[in-house]
Amino acid sequence: MAGSEILFYENCRFEKFVKRVAMKNVESFEVSPGPNPHVVFFMPPVKGQPAVISLKKLCMETEMLVVCTKTSFNCDKCTLMWNSKGTAVLATATVEVDKSDKSYYGVSHLYILTTKGETIQVPLDKTGQPLHDVKWSPSGNQFVVCYGFMPSKVAVYNVRGDTVWQHGEAHRNEVYYNPFGTILAICSFGNISSGKIEFWNVETKQKINTFEVPSTTAFEWAPDGNHFITATTAPRLRIANGRCHMMSKGEKEELWQVCWKPSKAYSKTEIVTLTSAQQEAIANNVIVSNNRHPVDSLKQGAIKKEAYVPPHMRKPEANKPAYVSTKPPLSEHEKKLKSLEKKLEDISKLKEKKASGVTLELNQEEKIKNEHTLLEEIQQLRVSLAS
């Protein structure tokens, strides 16, 4: 993007652009995948005008054709996400300040814009609730949303915005489809330290398994769609820093990122229903990093929870003796000598300023003139104290 222009290149040949589009106030845009490219633009609100989300068809020979547009005054930022087919885009519109003061996270709305010209607002239970996570299924036919105040809700919608599958309330904040869209992982990560992961069969809508990987900050499916990796990464968390992949684990001084090597050598596999014994065995085989904080190893009740008392209101401990200074108090002559020495030090600083060319005030000049008198007084006091 150069100024108000967007330059399009073809087949990764960047020697020369194939199309130039001039648009004002474009903050972000996303190009659709697939053979029929469309582009969705986001223009934030300016001078009392609403924010605009505009979906256009990319035509190389002619001007771009407007397919559909959504305007909103409740939108400061917008995240755009195409499905794999390039037929629909999810727009998460967010305003950072909730004027009703009901949400610390601001207000969010979710819209679907399709290449057929449809603009749909996703019907969440209550408008304005925080959106924790939104993911398209790799199939491109549905998407999952984790939303609402804690305990949050998770729901799956089709491209028309109809609810296909809904979960109850629980503390979770992230969702992940495996690469084939056959398994959905619903997770409690980040500030929800339990690290609980639920695995669901998307086709049968049955739970496959549940277990916990505490303090997880990163999750990624393997290319085969059956394995996954979790990690506790820095700087998000430096305690229990490491990775966990079923039976294997690794630890370093600081782990910043973990990812799978991309591969297209795998195909969709059958999902097997596990017995209770198999689920328990899998949960027991998950090894989590042993780098725990020393506090975690303390016995329950070792740390007493007490109400905070400000320092000025704390009572002295009965058996703790009060602080008594071992230095003898200064006499009047010693106090006066200390005061005169401080004045003499100030005069030395003033003389340095004057020598460097700084113009002194009249009272500062008087202090310098009294230096000789101060020296005499200091000498007399020192003789008096020595005798």
Side-chain angles (χ1 to χ4, degrees):
M1 187 181 298
S4 60
E5 293 182 338
I6 303 173
L7 308 179
F8 292 90
Y9 298 85
E10 197 172 30
N11 298 326
C12 296
R13 293 195 296 266
F14 299 104
E15 296 83 9
K16 186 178 180 180
F17 58 86
V18 294
K19 188 174 183 64
R20 176 192 293 168
V21 177
M23 292 186 67
K24 293 183 179 180
N25 197 32
V26 174
E27 184 174 284
S28 61
F29 68 95
E30 291 290 336
V31 181
S32 69
N36 300 313
H38 288 69
V39 187
V40 60
F41 302 90
F42 169 64
M43 286 76 78
V46 177
K47 297 180 180 179
Q49 297 298 316
V52 179
I53 305 168
S54 180
L55 177 60
K56 298 185 178 184
K57 184 176 181 180
L58 183 59
C59 305
M60 295 301 176
E61 292 79 15
T62 60
E63 293 292 326
M64 299 180 71
L65 302 176
V66 178
V67 179
C68 58
T69 300
K70 175 64 183 177
T71 60
S72 175
F73 284 98
N74 292 324
C75 181
D76 295 330
K77 296 182 179 180
C78 186
T79 304
L80 306 168
M81 187 189 310
W82 282 98
N83 65 352
S84 58
K85 296 180 178 180
T87 57
V89 61
L90 286 172
T92 305
T94 305
V95 58
E96 293 184 342
V97 179
D98 182 9
K99 294 181 180 179
S100 64
D101 291 332
K102 293 181 180 179
S103 174
Y104 172 80
Y105 301 97
V107 179
S108 298
H109 300 276
L110 187 61
Y111 303 101
I112 308 171
L113 286 76
T114 71
T115 54
K116 294 180 180 180
E118 300 169 315
T119 303
I120 306 163
Q121 182 171 356
V122 179
L124 306 178
D125 290 351
K126 293 181 180 179
T127 58
Q129 295 195 58
L131 296 178
H132 304 290
D133 201 4
V134 180
K135 293 285 195 317
W136 276 107
S137 168
S139 66
N141 296 325
Q142 62 183 26
F143 60 93
V144 60
V145 185
C146 180
Y147 67 96
F149 301 106
M150 292 295 169
S152 61
K153 295 182 179 180
V154 174
V156 178
Y157 300 87
N158 59 22
V159 291
R160 296 184 300 275
D162 301 324
T163 304
V164 176
W165 181 20
Q166 195 161 19
H167 293 261
E169 295 183 344
H171 288 80
R172 54 271 179 106
N173 55 359
E174 296 184 28
V175 285
Y176 298 91
Y177 280 104
N178 75 343
F180 306 106
T182 56
I183 301 176
L184 174 63
I186 303 176
C187 312
S188 306
F189 292 158
N191 57 353
I192 306 177
S193 60
S194 66
K196 184 178 180 181
I197 310 175
E198 298 178 2
F199 296 93
W200 291 82
N201 186 324
V202 174
E203 184 177 354
T204 63
K205 299 179 177 60
Q206 298 295 318
K207 186 186 290 187
I208 301 170
N209 201 0
T210 302
F211 54 85
E212 295 183 358
V213 186
S215 302
T216 297
T217 61
F219 176 98
E220 186 178 350
W221 281 102
D224 65 358
N226 292 323
H227 296 80
F228 63 92
I229 193 167
T230 65
T232 303
T233 55
R236 176 63 179 82
L237 275 178
R238 298 182 188 274
I239 298 173
N241 190 246
R243 69 179 185 272
C244 173
H245 166 224
M246 301 305 286
M247 286 295 292
S248 65
K249 67 171 183 176
E251 295 161 1
K252 292 187 176 182
E253 291 183 1
E254 280 192 354
L255 180 68
W256 287 79
Q257 186 178 7
V258 176
C259 62
W260 291 96
K261 180 181 178 181
S263 175
K264 295 183 179 180
Y266 299 95
S267 57
K268 184 166 62 175
T269 57
E270 182 183 356
I271 299 174
V272 180
T273 303
L274 302 176
T275 63
S276 299
Q278 289 173 324
Q279 293 181 15
E280 186 176 352
I282 292 173
N284 292 334
N285 284 336
V286 176
I287 300 176
V288 184
S289 170
N290 292 322
N291 284 357
R292 297 297 182 195
H293 194 274
V295 174
D296 296 339
S297 61
L298 295 176
K299 294 181 180 179
Q300 188 174 4
I303 301 177
K304 295 181 180 179
K305 295 183 179 180
E306 298 179 353
Y308 174 76
V309 180
H312 68 281
M313 296 180 64
R314 296 173 188 171
K315 296 180 180 179
E317 297 180 16
N319 298 327
K320 187 175 180 180
Y323 174 76
V324 179
S325 176
T326 57
K327 294 182 179 180
L330 297 175
S331 64
E332 292 299 323
H333 285 73
E334 288 174 330
K335 290 179 181 178
K336 188 174 182 180
L337 177 62
K338 194 172 183 179
S339 175
L340 293 175
E341 288 176 342
K342 178 66 173 63
K343 290 180 180 180
L344 187 63
E345 184 180 347
D346 293 340
I347 290 173
S348 299
K349 292 180 181 178
L350 290 174
K351 290 170 71 176
E352 290 177 2
K353 285 185 177 181
K354 187 175 181 179
S356 63
V358 177
T359 303
L360 301 180
E361 296 181 5
L362 292 177
N363 62 333
Q364 292 175 327
E365 292 284 1
E366 288 294 328
K367 288 181 180 180
I368 294 176
K369 291 179 182 179
N370 293 331
E371 181 182 13
H372 182 70
T373 306
L374 281 175
L375 288 171
E376 289 181 351
E377 289 186 41
I378 290 172
Q379 184 63 28
Q380 291 175 3
L381 284 171
R382 285 176 178 172
V383 171
S384 175
L385 291 171
S387 59

